[in-house]
Amino acid sequence: FFAPIKMTSPQRAHHHWTGWLGRFAAAALASVIFTFAFGAINFSLLTQPYYPVHLNGLSMPEPQTLLTAELVRAPIVVLSLIPLLLTVHTTSNRLLVMSGLLLFVIGGITPLLWQINQLPLVLLMACGLELFAQNVTTGAAAAWLLGSYDIIHHYPTPRLKNA
């Protein structure tokens, strides 16, 4: 699935720095939106009952605290993908998948492993699914917005020969 592809050096789209800044801000905003959307779904479907009983120290922060934390975290998450986006030379679809999976492994699986002996399995699984959805969509959005390759020149569409 991730076999190397022969290609010449990628050509980054040439945009003014304000264009890249706008793309970066859009990717960070997408991260905030995905985090709140998938977090709200998980909270309403499964995890809400665990917070009032403060299971193993769980507490529900104020919405302002969550928003502030996400507004700080999101640009850092997107920034963490820049080395991957600059160094991996592959198709855009692979770059979307790789970015999402990288964020999931680092930002999803790793924090869950710290909680493995403290939280019930059903809560870990629900949070794992939530983190998968958050990180994969954030990584894909960031790769789509920031990983601009000139795909048409490097991966031409095959032409059918006339019979």
Side-chain angles (χ1 to χ4, degrees), residues 89-137:
H89 308 297
T90 188
T91 65
S92 59
N93 287 341
R94 284 186 184 177
L95 194 59
L96 295 176
V97 171
M98 290 171 69
S99 298
L101 291 178
L102 176 67
L103 286 183
F104 176 60
V105 168
I106 294 172
I109 293 176
T110 303
L112 278 182
L113 290 177
W114 294 337
Q115 303 296 325
I116 205 154
N117 292 328
Q118 298 176 357
L119 298 175
L121 181 60
V122 67
L123 189 59
L124 288 171
M125 291 176 63
C127 290
L129 186 58
E130 172 193 346
L131 291 170
F132 177 80
Q134 289 172 0
N135 287 294
V136 168
T137 54

Side-chain angles (χ1 to χ4, degrees), residues 28-91:
L29 179 62
S31 176
V32 172
I33 291 169
F34 294 140
T35 298
F36 275 97
F38 291 115
I41 291 168
N42 188 25
F43 182 78
S44 66
L45 293 178
L46 189 73
T47 60
Q48 186 175 9
Y50 292 98
Y51 286 98
V53 296
H54 299 287
L55 179 70
N56 291 323
L58 283 179
S59 62
M60 187 60 171
E62 294 296 320
Q64 301 89 331
T65 304
L66 288 173
L67 182 60
T68 302
E70 278 308 308
L71 290 174
V72 170
R73 187 187 78 83
I76 295 169
V77 167
V78 173
L79 193 61
S80 73
L81 287 174
I82 298 296
L84 175 79
L85 299 174
L86 290 176
T87 58
V88 173
H89 308 297
T90 188
T91 65

